[in-house]
Amino acid sequence: MTDLALDKLYGFYEQLWRIRLFEGHVQRLAAKGEVPGFPHLSTGQEAVAVGVCAHLAANDYVFSSHRAHGHVLAKGSDPYATFAEIIGRQDGLCRGRGGSMHLVDAANGVMGATGVVAGNLSLAAGAAWAAQALGDGRIAVVFFGDGATGAGVFHETLNLASLWQLPLLFVCENNGYAEFTSREEHSKVAKVSAFAAPYHLPAETIDGNDVLVVNAAAAAAVRSIRSGAGPRLLECMTYRMAGHYVGDAQRYRSKEELAAMKEKDPIDRLRAHLTQRGEPAAELEAIEKRVASEVQAAVERARQAARPDPATVLDYVYSQPLSTTAEA
Ligand SMILES: Cc1ncc(C[n+]2csc(CCOP(=O)(O)OP(=O)(O)O)c2C)c(N)n1
Ligand SMILES: [Mg+2]
């Protein structure tokens, strides 16, 4: 049970659905060849993004990974501009130049997704260090997968963040796989939170498929970080119900495993909680319907939007176009 107000719970329900439906459209259009590159869906992991971002101000920093759509939407970026970016349109967050793995919305604190696994960790520490130096009250949050913890920079960043007591929240989405390799096959360390102890960095492992659990843990972690008590790590145990990327044949896991994990779907969990409280099904269906038409409208508008003019390909790359002829 939770003592959260009903409007908060409905708000979570709405956000979970927004991400789920948005990524459903990404999947559908990717299958039709309308999405450049390989989009990575967060289907099944939405509760982590929603529960954590509920505690962030617009100017707090979020650093995301290759599985970024949920983080960006939960941080409050416009679904239209986000979708337009994913399908390479001029109205996109990065004017259609970045795509799914390079979503940036700096005005909204989204400092960037990245295709470089673990590449975001040290950047987040830099932003947290800047916030500390400026004393502007901001914090930084970095989302990363369990696979990223095998990279040296993860350990370097834990060390410096703890040493310098940076206002930084590490959020590991432990979905049990790095691409097609299960955690058991690539590490002897079952719990990512265990890595934080030698660096004297407070960490906990929580149920990442329960938005109420994530919300409560993130509330406490963010409160502590804002009070100046230094960095924290949340390991959110979750599961990606979609493939590693759209088109993944998923030969590395069984149908039984997938079916068992679908029983823990974060949307079903929150719906069950609300129903148990006696909230009417009609209310929940109304939210689903409203979000579905809002997302559908954003997607259709993005599909109609113009692509960037090829003549502008070098815009926003250099402040001054480089001369192609050598100076005499
Ligand atoms: C530096 C680097 N090494 C390898 C890859 C290839 N790669 C892409 S995703 C991925 C697995 C990441 O696993 P995890 O961090 O658990 O995130 P998940 O995909 O499970 O969300 C790998 C190895 C990469 N993109 N960057
Ligand atoms: Mg993983």
Side-chain angles (χ1 to χ4, degrees):
M1 274 297 162
T2 174
D3 52 7
L4 283 182
L6 186 57
D7 62 337
K8 268 245 153 95
L9 297 174
Y10 280 153
F12 288 158
Y13 194 69
E14 176 179 325
Q15 287 196 65
L16 292 172
W17 266 112
R18 182 172 295 112
I19 299 169
R20 177 71 55 92
L21 294 168
F22 181 99
E23 293 200 308
H25 285 287
V26 174
Q27 181 162 29
R28 183 174 61 84
L29 295 184
K32 291 169 104 182
E34 289 189 33
V35 182
F38 293 95
H40 301 75
L41 308 182
S42 67
T43 309
Q45 305 186 189
E46 299 94 339
V48 181
V50 171
V52 169
C53 290
H55 303 283
L56 304 181
N59 67 356
D60 285 325
Y61 301 109
V62 162
F63 289 78
S64 181
S65 63
H66 53 288
R67 209 173 292 290
H69 311 151
H71 306 146
V72 174
L73 293 177
K75 187 66 170 47
S77 292
D78 174 25
Y80 166 65
T82 308
F83 206 93
E85 184 58 41
I86 292 169
I87 59 171
R89 305 304 156 122
Q90 180 64 33
D91 282 354
L93 291 176
C94 309
R95 302 182 179 93
R97 285 148 164 86
S100 167
M101 276 191 280
H102 306 100
L103 300 171
V104 182
D105 185 10
N108 190 39
V110 176
M111 304 312 288
T114 176
V116 182
V117 170
N120 52 2
L121 287 145
S122 54
L123 301 181
W129 183 76
Q132 186 185 57
L134 293 169
D136 61 14
R138 295 178 183 191
I139 70 164
V141 176
V142 59
F143 290 98
F144 56 99
D146 46 302
T149 66
V153 69
F154 169 64
H155 299 271
E156 295 169 48
T157 309
L158 285 180
N159 183 49
L160 284 184
S162 179
L163 193 63
W164 295 340
Q165 291 290 282
L166 297 180
L168 175 56
L169 177 60
F170 294 85
V171 180
C172 179
E173 293 181 72
N174 187 346
N175 59 14
Y177 286 94
E179 288 187 323
F180 321 127
T181 310
S182 70
R183 179 131 194 94
E184 299 77 56
E185 283 178 275
H186 73 81
S187 181
K188 280 277 192 195
V189 183
K191 280 194 171 178
V192 166
S193 58
F195 287 129
Y199 302 105
H200 301 278
L201 198 151
E204 60 181 318
T205 300
I206 60 168
D207 182 347
N209 273 27
D210 186 335
V211 70
L212 304 180
V213 169
V214 178
N215 172 66
V222 168
R223 201 178 312 118
S224 167
I225 293 168
R226 285 201 203 281
S227 78
R232 298 180 83 95
L233 184 147
L234 285 180
E235 177 185 19
C236 304
M237 301 308 294
T238 185
Y239 193 78
R240 68 169 156 68
M241 291 173 359
H244 171 65
Y245 55 82
V246 178
D248 172 7
Q250 305 180 49
R251 293 201 184 90
Y252 50 89
R253 64 180 177 187
S254 66
K255 285 198 172 71
E256 292 72 28
E257 176 182 308
L258 185 56
M261 295 311 287
K262 279 189 176 170
E263 294 291 311
K264 298 181 180 173
D265 183 330
I267 295 185
D268 293 344
R269 300 263 297 270
L270 183 58
R271 188 192 292 115
H273 177 83
L274 285 160
T275 309
Q276 235 173 8
R277 275 175 54 129
E279 307 310 335
E283 194 68 46
L284 301 178
E285 280 155 25
I287 294 174
E288 291 164 28
K289 252 183 137 166
R290 180 164 49 75
V291 177
S293 58
E294 171 219 296
V295 172
Q296 171 91 30
V299 169
E300 288 314 316
R301 196 175 142 220
R303 288 177 84 197
Q304 304 306 319
R307 296 176 195 276
D309 179 352
T312 67
V313 70
L314 289 181
D315 289 1
Y316 321 113
V317 177
Y318 300 107
S319 56
Q320 290 267 304
L322 291 177
S323 169
T324 50
T325 51
E327 296 289 327

